[in-house]
Amino acid sequence: MDMDLKSFIGGCLGGFAGIVSSYPFDTLKVRIQNQHRHEFKYNGSIDCLSQILRKESASALYKGMSSPLIGSMFINAVLFGVEENVRKMLHLNDPKYHTSHKTREFYELYAVSGAIAGLTQSFLLSPVELVKIRMQIPDCHYQSTWCCVRDILKTHNFKHLFRGTWLTVLRDVPGVSSYFVSFEYICNSYRISRDNLPVLHLLMAGGIAGCFSWLITYPIDVIKTRFQADESFSSVKECLKKAVASEGNKVFFRGLAPTLLRAFPNNAAVFATVNLFNRLMNNLAPDDNVEFNTSALPSYPNLHFFIDTYDIHR
């Protein structure tokens, strides 16, 4: 099977697995992030979960999942395709890079391919996440994702769907780049052929890399979530100033626990699914260049939550 097609299908399957395995944690993250000092509703992840189950229902944890589920599959497919083609352009599939000891140049080129893929993903993911966030907040009155989109278009315009896009870019460019690099580094540290890595190793590598990428970009995600959820903010600067003034610097880490709880299973599932799919395809229809072909890489958390994620993703 052609590598581009394989990356596309693998990305779709990985996006589906990631969203299904982690969406409830994303709901907790959004609700905790979107609290303000004068109206704290939750004392932590456990309290947030218990209140949702007591006052609403278990189905509330999956509210708005349809858009991230479809979106994550599409966006992950695009992400994998872009990353694969950039790696080809940078000659990362050349035999000189296929050694047990990777050079600094190798990881730098991986960082570049991840950054470009993250930039591409941002413009697709931002409107998906805006709709997802509007569906997840406690006072949401929309009955479906389509109702939310229709209301935004009716009340504002198509451009409003891209509110907060540059914050998504600032989060995803370094986030996706660090994700690809850290994942590759962890896998190489096993000193085992990629095709022979046990599933547990794949899950651990993807989960750890996902958590690491969120740790370095989380403060940006907090401001992005608030800016996309609350239309009263006229600018990102206003949102940032009010957040710091009312809650201090700790606001940048509000909701980090459920985010990391979400990131691990999400990225572990995405990575394992994509790699196992590629192994199957290589066994059924090996590529002509399989000798020098690097294994598929995972997509970014929160893709993930096409109009979520998902996170499309995360």
Side-chain angles (χ1 to χ4, degrees):
M1 180 183 292
D2 180 77
M3 272 302 299
D4 291 338
L5 180 59
K6 186 187 300 181
S7 296
F8 185 88
I9 297 176
C12 285
L13 295 176
F16 178 88
I19 287 296
V20 171
S21 66
S22 65
Y23 194 79
F25 294 111
D26 188 66
T27 298
L28 298 181
K29 174 186 81 78
V30 169
R31 293 206 177 189
I32 293 174
Q33 279 185 341
N34 204 44
Q35 292 184 110
H36 299 283
R37 188 170 191 176
H38 59 280
E39 54 175 356
F40 279 153
K41 297 180 179 179
Y42 314 114
N43 293 321
S45 302
I46 302 300
D47 181 52
C48 181
L49 176 61
S50 64
Q51 286 196 44
I52 291 175
L53 295 177
R54 185 174 66 254
K55 298 178 180 179
E56 300 174 60
S57 65
S59 63
L61 292 169
Y62 295 90
K63 191 172 184 179
M65 192 178 76
S66 60
S67 70
L69 191 59
I70 299 172
S72 182
M73 294 172 67
F74 174 78
I75 294 172
N76 272 300
V78 171
L79 183 72
F80 274 84
V82 171
E83 194 278 334
E84 171 66 25
N85 279 284
V86 173
R87 277 196 288 130
K88 287 180 180 178
M89 292 173 60
L90 297 176
H91 305 291
L92 277 170
N93 292 343
D94 287 358
K96 69 176 183 177
Y97 292 118
H98 290 256
T99 61
S100 57
H101 299 284
K102 305 299 183 182
T103 64
R104 178 177 177 177
E105 178 188 13
F106 174 82
Y107 289 114
E108 288 176 346
L109 292 176
Y110 251 103
V112 172
S113 67
I116 294 175
L119 177 64
T120 305
Q121 170 188 268
S122 301
F123 294 98
L124 299 175
L125 184 59
S126 185
V128 171
E129 289 198 331
L130 183 141
V131 173
K132 174 186 71 72
I133 290 169
R134 297 285 175 87
M135 291 290 294
Q136 288 175 317
I137 56 179
D139 57 349
C140 172
H141 60 277
Y142 300 117
Q143 298 299 313
S144 67
T145 298
W146 170 241
C147 288
C148 180
V149 175
R150 185 173 57 186
D151 182 67
I152 291 174
L153 295 177
K154 181 179 179 180
T155 307
H156 303 281
N157 51 41
F158 180 77
K159 183 180 178 181
H160 192 79
L161 287 170
F162 292 86
R163 177 181 169 89
T165 294
W166 289 110
L167 287 172
T168 309
V169 171
L170 289 175
R171 182 196 66 183
D172 286 1
V173 170
V176 175
S177 179
S178 63
Y179 181 83
F180 278 111
V181 173
S182 57
F183 161 74
E184 185 67 20
Y185 181 83
I186 294 170
C187 284
N188 290 332
S189 69
Y190 290 135
R191 304 299 182 189
I192 303 174
S193 170
R194 190 64 58 83
D195 289 336
N196 295 322
L197 274 178
V199 174
L200 180 60
H201 287 56
L202 300 178
L203 291 170
M204 290 298 295
I208 293 172
C211 290
F212 175 71
S213 68
W214 271 109
L215 281 172
I216 66 174
T217 61
Y218 191 74
I220 299 174
D221 185 69
V222 172
I223 300 303
K224 183 192 79 71
T225 297
R226 293 195 171 202
F227 184 69
Q228 289 186 320
D230 192 342
E231 295 184 3
S232 67
F233 296 122
S234 60
S235 67
V236 174
K237 183 178 180 180
E238 179 189 358
C239 179
L240 177 61
K241 288 178 65 176
K242 287 186 176 181
V244 174
S246 63
E247 300 174 54
N249 292 332
K250 66 181 180 181
V251 69
F252 295 115
F253 300 96
R254 189 171 301 285
L256 180 60
T259 298
L260 295 180
L261 287 173
R262 168 190 176 272
F264 194 95
N266 180 294
N267 292 287
V270 168
F271 179 75
T273 300
V274 171
N275 275 261
L276 292 176
F277 171 78
N278 284 341
R279 286 184 189 180
L280 175 63
M281 290 298 98
N282 283 335
N283 289 331
L284 295 177
D287 294 302
D288 294 335
N289 64 336
V290 68
E291 179 182 357
F292 303 128
N293 180 43
T294 56
S295 66
L297 298 175
S299 86
Y300 179 58
N302 348 115
L303 316 189
H304 274 103
F305 281 145
F306 162 53
I307 270 227
D308 121 316
T309 93
Y310 158 132
D311 216 158
I312 74 261
H313 215 186
R314 333 160 81 235

